[in-house]
Amino acid sequence: MKNPKFKYLILFVLFFTTVSLSAQSTAPNYTAFYPGEIWKDTDGNHINAHGGGIMFKDGKYYWYGEHKGKSSLARVGITVYSSEDLYNWKNEGVALSVAKDPDSEITSGSVMERPKVVYNEKTDKYVMWFHLELKGQGYAAARTGVATSDSPTGPFTYLKSYRPNSKKWPQNFKEEWKDTPKSGEPKEWWTPKWRKALNEGMFVRRDFEKGQMSRDMTIYIDTDGTAYHITSSEENQTLHISKLTDDYLGFTGEWVRMQPGGQNEAPAIFQKDGYYYMITSGLTGWAPNAARSFRAKSIMGPWEKLGNPARGKYADKTFFSQSTFILPVQGKEDSFIFMADRWKPENHIDGRYIWLPIEWENDKPVIRWKENWAL
Ligand code: DGJ
């Protein structure tokens, strides 16, 4: 070959053809779930949608999740994958991108976790909520962000973030808890006095003006179309359940505290036979712990404790995972999938997905480990 440039061009084309063919050939056609294994998308790449949630619309499931690199900081944004069978997922790209503008709340280097997308019939918009932490502030901001799109695959436009329920007392809050005790609030954490003060609303009072903290969160649409925002608040000690406005973009001011001092994170919720069920995790950072479960007749409570839903070996660690969503399978009555993340904090992109069927034991939802399973 006379022209060396031409030789390099041919080598270049051959290389990329081989790479793309081998990627395609490694894209499996799944007919089952393999919890904890690498889960390839239809391009053959491990799915990158952590802390995810699923929306079903017009015959397709859409899986939204955190794009993660080695670290957990948001460098890309929220990704979206689509599927018709729940086993094989097509990468639909970035639904909500981090912003280039360094002054944006969702600039690269912020924390964007646990995205949940819902469709609003009244406005014909797709609404995404997610846990937002501002760049350079660790987890101190404790905010919840909202974005909308006209299409399930985006692009979503970021609207704003909240500290929820500013200047609103919860509905299940005693009148006498509204004033700071004359003796002041306890300063030292974890003492019996501090626990009592926490149960009696110390952090709610502290954050009354600027709004309540919001970290791990989910969104739930009730059968009547009302949306609820469920979040870990009060320094992750107490869950807050708030009713959203009709457009799903803001808070109505109607809210309750759930399990004060219970240290619940990673809330996931579903409904069956007139009961709402919630599965959460304990509070141990990226490390796994024992899940918890609850049941209520109304989303606004009271919620009854049902205990650890996991059964068998490693039930005390939720099979090394943490809940993120509970998916009702379309067209299969009473079929629910418990979705969880097996975090890999040393290399977040390698985080795995643990999907297991919800089973029942004496009217309580339970989860058992399975190497693989199909619907
Ligand atoms: C546990 C939460 O559930 C995750 O979403 C994440 O916020 C980590 N904590 C951070 O340590």
Side-chain angles (χ1 to χ4, degrees):
M1 205 171 292
K2 286 210 179 111
N3 187 343
K5 273 191 192 154
F6 192 62
K7 190 168 109 194
Y8 284 123
L9 180 70
I10 288 188
L11 281 174
F12 185 78
V13 169
L14 273 176
F15 175 74
F16 276 100
T17 315
T18 317
V19 166
S20 66
L21 279 178
S22 64
Q24 274 167 19
S25 60
T26 58
N29 184 19
Y30 293 109
T31 52
F33 300 108
Y34 296 86
E37 300 293 315
I38 289 276
W39 193 347
K40 291 180 177 174
D41 64 17
T42 52
D43 295 327
N45 301 313
H46 181 43
I47 293 172
N48 197 335
H50 309 267
I54 290 187
M55 183 198 60
F56 181 79
K57 187 81 177 44
D58 301 332
K60 264 193 192 172
Y61 294 94
Y62 295 90
W63 174 356
Y64 303 86
E66 308 158 17
H67 178 280
K68 287 198 185 290
K70 193 169 167 55
S71 100
S72 72
L73 296 179
R75 298 288 179 201
V76 171
I78 305 301
T79 47
V80 53
Y81 292 77
S82 68
S83 172
E84 285 175 23
D85 62 8
L86 291 171
Y87 305 122
N88 299 287
W89 291 89
K90 175 173 181 259
N91 186 351
E92 299 276 4
V94 180
L96 174 64
S97 176
V98 295
K100 290 204 183 85
D101 176 0
D103 294 329
S104 163
E105 289 189 332
I106 59 164
T107 194
S108 171
S110 62
V111 170
M112 295 163 75
E113 290 181 348
R114 299 185 174 274
K116 302 290 173 283
V117 173
V118 288
Y119 173 69
N120 187 300
E121 303 235 347
K122 287 187 187 142
T123 60
D124 193 23
K125 294 269 182 205
Y126 297 87
V127 181
M128 177 190 291
W129 284 86
F130 60 98
H131 170 196
L132 172 70
E133 298 291 347
L134 304 178
K135 184 179 177 180
Q137 297 184 23
Y139 279 79
R143 301 184 74 81
T144 185
V146 62
T148 58
S149 171
D150 292 328
S151 149
T153 51
F156 280 75
T157 306
Y158 179 63
L159 300 181
K160 63 185 287 193
S161 73
Y162 294 88
R163 272 295 193 96
N165 297 315
S166 157
K167 300 192 181 84
K168 301 280 180 199
W169 294 112
Q171 291 173 338
N172 54 355
F173 205 69
K174 290 192 181 155
E175 205 47 46
E176 64 262 33
W177 293 350
K178 293 184 180 171
D179 293 319
T180 306
K182 287 201 180 70
S183 54
E185 308 283 18
K187 299 268 174 310
E188 195 188 335
W189 282 46
W190 312 119
T191 62
K193 230 174 127 185
W194 179 88
R195 284 185 200 282
K196 183 167 182 291
L198 159 66
N199 287 344
E200 297 179 357
M202 166 175 59
F203 292 127
V204 177
R205 288 191 288 277
R206 183 195 67 184
D207 294 335
F208 182 72
E209 292 291 327
K210 73 170 170 187
Q212 303 295 319
M213 299 177 96
S214 181
R215 291 204 181 108
D216 280 12
M217 47 68 61
T218 195
I219 300 287
Y220 183 73
I221 308 291
D222 204 354
T223 30
D224 66 358
T226 309
Y228 295 85
H229 182 275
I230 303 165
T231 192
S232 191
S233 185
E234 300 181 36
E235 306 287 353
N236 293 346
Q237 303 296 311
T238 303
L239 287 170
H240 288 183
I241 305 178
S242 307
K243 202 187 246 192
L244 294 182
T245 50
D246 281 355
D247 57 10
Y248 302 168
L249 302 179
F251 291 82
T252 57
E254 273 179 64
W255 69 286
V256 292
R257 299 168 79 213
M258 174 184 166
Q259 302 288 314
Q263 302 196 319
N264 287 287
E265 281 199 313
I269 177 170
F270 69 107
Q271 192 185 0
K272 182 183 173 302
D273 298 337
Y275 277 105
Y276 299 90
Y277 293 89
M278 197 187 296
I279 297 183
T280 66
S281 77
L283 179 62
T284 51
W286 299 114
N289 53 51
R292 295 98 177 271
S293 61
F294 305 89
R295 171 172 66 186
K297 279 274 179 200
S298 153
I299 297 191
M300 299 302 251
W303 288 84
E304 172 199 352
K305 275 188 186 178
L306 298 179
N308 183 353
R311 293 284 179 273
K313 202 173 170 194
Y314 304 125
D316 59 335
K317 295 279 184 280
T318 320
F319 317 113
F320 306 103
S321 71
Q322 186 183 30
S323 44
T324 184
F325 195 73
I326 295 169
L327 172 68
V329 180
Q330 294 301 313
K332 282 196 126 217
E333 213 186 330
D334 296 343
S335 174
F336 299 93
I337 300 177
F338 170 77
M339 293 169 48
D341 293 279
R342 182 173 288 171
W343 302 112
K344 295 275 181 80
E346 63 293 347
N347 184 22
H348 273 284
I349 194 172
D350 191 33
R352 305 296 171 88
Y353 310 102
I354 307 296
W355 287 25
L356 293 168
I358 299 267
E359 299 174 342
W360 296 89
E361 198 181 88
N362 306 325
D363 288 340
K364 290 181 181 179
V366 293
I367 313 153
R368 292 192 179 84
W369 178 254
K370 295 190 170 30
E371 292 294 330
N372 60 71
W373 65 284
L375 286 166

